[in-house]
Amino acid sequence: MTTQGRAVLGLALTPVLTLAAVTPATAQPTAAPAGATTAVTADQRAPGPWATRTQLAPSPTPGSASGGLNALVAAGNGTLVALTGDALSRSTRIRPAGGTRWLAPQTWPDAGAYNTELVALGDGSVRLVWRARRADDHGTHWLRMATLAPGATAFSAPEYIAPVPEKGYHHLAAAPDGRLVAVWTDSGVVKAAEKPGSQAVWTAPTGLSTQPPSGSRDIAALDLAVDKNGTALLVWQWQRTKAVVALEKSRSATAWKTVTGLPVPAADLARPKAFARPQGGFDVFYDDQEHLAYTRRTAGSTTWSAPRTAAATGSTSGMTAPVHLPNGDLFVAGAPGYGTGPWYALRSAATGTWQPFTQAFSTHKKVRSVSAAATSGGTVTVTWREGYSGAEYAMAAFFKGGTWSAAHRLSATGDRFAGAPQLAADAKGRPVAVWDEYQPSATGATVLDGVHQTTTAARALPAWRDHTDDGKADLFGRSSAGVKVYAGDATRLTAQKRSSSWPSGTLVLPYGDLDGDGCNDVFTRDPQGEARIHVTICGGQPDQQTYSVKVSSDWSAYDTVLSPGDLTGDGRPDLLTRSAASGKLYLYANNGAGGFKARTVAGSGFGTYKRLIAAGDLDRDGRNDLLAIDKSNELWRFEGTGRGTFTPRALVFKDWGTSYKDVVGGLDLSGDGRSDLISLDEQGRAWLNKGDGRGGFANRTQAGKSTDWSGIRIS
């Protein structure tokens, strides 16, 4: 996904940087959350490491295998609400916006029946909806609703919506102005009622369909959405005839009317799902001959877009609610559909097409119950359940711009296994995951051990060259199979699983954090000279499809490109190049807005050196330095000034580096806090020169095994 002219999950693009000056980009403002009552600053960095799990609620019935988590939602202001319980009763637990502690639970003794629903609505509220008998109406079942108003710390007393059957579909939706719409099935008839405002009463139920011959079980799916303009969209499918019905009602209309032009076919198990778009209008997903299809209608329009395949193997039966990203892109993911593995899809706002990504968040064959939420730093967090009976785990991963982090296990290991995790983002954008934890009892039966939770800690500034998110500098290794990250120390550098393929001759360098999300990004220059920064998620590695910021169309005039870290003293990573024609060094300073300033001269006379090496801070003065090997194989040090230039050279080694094909500096592989050198010789052996912290190095020692580096080039 290298489309130009748009933002990457909230990062504004800098115009293409040529050798002339550019206009710096500006950061995109963050909109205030709906229903916010206190100011909570959202974290702009990517989510940090996951914290240790804690118990949110014990098992309601000791020794039982059921009765745990039902739902988790986030209100418009970031307040979190969890619903737990069993067929006897339910409890709601609230974590107020800006807080980290859950309040004492509220218990709903008659809400344990069929199809209890917890839903966050467009007016910033959260509603609990369920069916229960009403004692003053001869035991008739009614649809009941309790409300958590924006900023409140407790649900209101229940109110009655309408008499309903004991079982059946029901859904609730709201417009931002507080207008509520409820729909439900009654022996095969779809009914609706409305509440115009908080002080108004519910309208009398309206029948929207005639009863089919075979009764209520003839409805295969029912879904409802209300957009920000107050228009309600209702879709369902008849089980026997496969016909899809779509009705709508605007804010001012007095009756529901048939939606015209909706291109959802009367296919077997189309299972349409409707979602309100943030800008107004609707997204509709449906199953079409074993793949996930998509159509939308923008605000104010009466025309639906031509159907598009969103995912070749996806299905609405296992998909997440779509996540609308700040740049307009649309993200969905799901559990296996039609015998395939987990999937995800991304619609580009710039091109209107769905990206053909193939890498998924998990390679496990048994994945279920996928959830997704937009979280801090422009990321999407995804949770899921994977494994087989007796060995199932709650898992999580982060996504950004086409890049996935490594999957992380949230639940306990050993004999325990986890239920389906639920996910929501709090007021700071931190992901909060909640799931059921099970363990075997003394009799061998599996019992519920309680509802557990975890969230992410604050993310610190990324360590230099850390691309595995372990706080240590890493090494890039390139071979014919692609690029891998090598993590560890001088005695054991282990290749990570993530690998990306690039055209032969592509320069790939660790860069640093371009967009300020706390994750280190990657610089590439392809064989034609095009230079890019690939903006990645912490712990994830990019490939050619992932999102990137274009630095220049042609940097082929530079015979050396270095990623030296911060050379200007502003804490942001820069780029350093050498002109093949003049031998001049040019600094491309980070502009702090997701791009680079126009180049400046960092030094002259560097054309006589056969190799330049970004060295890190060799003398521990807080400024990054440069190393150079001349044609006589002498190693020289140029100390950084912190102003984008260097002091005159000083000799480090004589007759050094004649057998080395690659030399990389700036890594602390010895773990002593000093910048080291690691080199590869022509025989594929890796050598370490430990930095002494005074601008020099100790004699070399072998690092790792010689067979580890055959056919590999490092950077």
Side-chain angles (χ1 to χ4, degrees), residues 60-61 102 137 149 204 231 265 273 381 395-396 529 560 565 657 704:
T61 307
W102 295 82
D137 192 15
T231 298
K273 285 191 175 181
T381 302
M395 305 292 294
T560 297

Side-chain angles (χ1 to χ4, degrees), residues 177-513:
D177 64 359
R179 169 174 163 253
L180 295 176
V181 179
V183 297
W184 63 93
T185 57
D186 186 346
S187 300
V189 177
V190 179
K191 293 186 176 181
E194 295 184 33
K195 186 177 183 181
S198 59
Q199 303 303 316
V201 297
W202 286 93
T203 62
T206 301
L208 304 182
S209 65
T210 57
Q211 182 177 350
S214 55
S216 62
R217 293 185 180 274
D218 255 11
I219 294 180
L222 180 75
D223 207 12
L224 172 71
V226 177
D227 76 354
K228 72 172 190 175
N229 301 313
T231 298
L233 175 66
L234 174 63
V235 293
W236 75 84
Q237 183 176 27
W238 295 115
Q239 179 77 38
R240 175 166 295 183
T241 65
K242 312 304 180 189
V244 173
V245 179
L247 303 176
E248 64 179 318
K249 186 176 184 293
S250 66
R251 185 201 313 270
S252 58
T254 58
W256 293 78
K257 68 176 184 179
T258 300
V259 175
T260 59
L262 181 66
V264 179
D268 184 33
L269 295 178
R271 293 181 287 213
K273 285 191 175 181
F275 302 93
R277 306 182 70 242
Q279 308 89 342
F282 300 96
D283 295 311
V284 173
F285 293 85
Y286 61 95
D287 292 3
D288 186 10
Q289 302 301 317
E290 300 189 354
H291 65 265
L292 184 70
Y294 166 82
T295 182
R296 68 172 183 165
R297 192 179 74 185
T298 56
S301 174
T302 59
T303 303
W304 292 86
S305 66
R308 302 283 187 184
T309 295
T313 59
S315 169
T316 61
S317 63
M319 68 174 280
T320 64
V323 178
H324 288 266
L325 304 175
N327 65 344
D329 287 356
L330 186 64
F331 174 96
V332 292
Y338 303 107
T340 63
W343 57 271
Y344 83 101
L346 191 73
R347 183 184 183 275
S348 166
T351 65
T353 59
W354 290 88
Q355 304 294 331
F357 291 116
T358 56
Q359 181 192 34
F361 46 88
S362 174
T363 58
H364 204 283
K365 294 181 179 179
K366 191 70 171 180
V367 169
R368 289 178 286 175
S369 304
V370 181
S371 298
T375 46
S376 60
T379 65
V380 178
T381 302
V382 175
T383 60
W384 67 95
R385 175 184 180 182
E386 74 174 34
Y388 300 95
S389 178
E392 297 177 325
Y393 302 100
M395 305 292 294
F398 304 119
F399 173 85
K400 182 175 181 178
T403 303
W404 286 97
S405 72
H408 178 82
R409 181 179 293 173
L410 301 175
S411 55
T413 58
D415 293 332
R416 298 171 183 249
F417 63 98
Q422 299 275 343
L423 178 71
D426 67 10
K428 287 184 174 292
R430 294 170 300 198
V432 178
V434 182
W435 67 93
D436 292 335
E437 194 94 1
Y438 296 87
Q439 65 177 345
S441 67
T443 63
T446 300
V447 297
L448 180 66
D449 188 44
V451 180
H452 287 73
Q453 63 158 351
T454 186
T455 186
T456 55
R459 176 164 291 282
L461 289 172
W464 175 235
R465 296 181 64 102
D466 177 21
H467 287 265
T468 54
D469 208 24
D470 63 357
K472 300 177 182 179
D474 304 315
L475 194 68
F476 279 16
R478 306 188 308 278
S479 68
S480 58
V483 177
K484 290 186 178 181
V485 176
Y486 289 79
D489 54 33
T491 61
R492 187 184 70 257
L493 285 165
T494 304
Q496 304 301 293
K497 293 181 179 180
R498 288 189 176 272
S499 178
S500 54
S501 60
W502 302 94
S504 178
T506 299
L507 175 66
V508 183
L509 297 174
Y511 168 71
D513 183 10

Side-chain angles (χ1 to χ4, degrees), residues 573-594:
D574 307 311
L575 286 171
L576 196 63
T577 65
R578 181 177 68 180
S579 168
S582 68
K584 288 184 178 180
L585 286 184
Y586 289 101
L587 171 70
Y588 286 85
N590 192 314
N591 66 11

Side-chain angles (χ1 to χ4, degrees), residues 116-133:
T116 300
E117 183 180 40
L118 182 71
V119 57
L121 298 177
D123 62 352
S125 68
V126 174
R127 312 285 173 128
L128 180 67
V129 186
W130 71 99
R131 298 167 188 246
R133 293 184 183 276

Side-chain angles (χ1 to χ4, degrees), residues 81-98:
V81 184
L83 177 66
T84 61
D86 54 21
L88 300 176
S89 69
R90 315 272 175 161
S91 295
T92 48
R93 285 173 166 81
I94 299 169
R95 202 184 90 170

Side-chain angles (χ1 to χ4, degrees), residues 85-163:
D86 54 21
L88 300 176
S89 69
R90 315 272 175 161
S91 295
T92 48
R93 285 173 166 81
I94 299 169
R95 202 184 90 170
T100 58
R101 301 185 65 180
W102 295 82
L103 304 180
Q106 280 182 272
T107 301
W108 309 95
D110 64 346
Y114 177 80
N115 199 15
T116 300
E117 183 180 40
L118 182 71
V119 57
L121 298 177
D123 62 352
S125 68
V126 174
R127 312 285 173 128
L128 180 67
V129 186
W130 71 99
R131 298 167 188 246
R133 293 184 183 276
R134 184 170 177 174
D136 61 352
D137 192 15
H138 307 291
T140 302
H141 280 85
W142 277 68
L143 198 61
R144 303 187 72 185
M145 179 184 73
T147 300
L148 180 69
T153 57
F155 279 83
S156 67
E159 61 180 293
Y160 294 96
I161 298 176

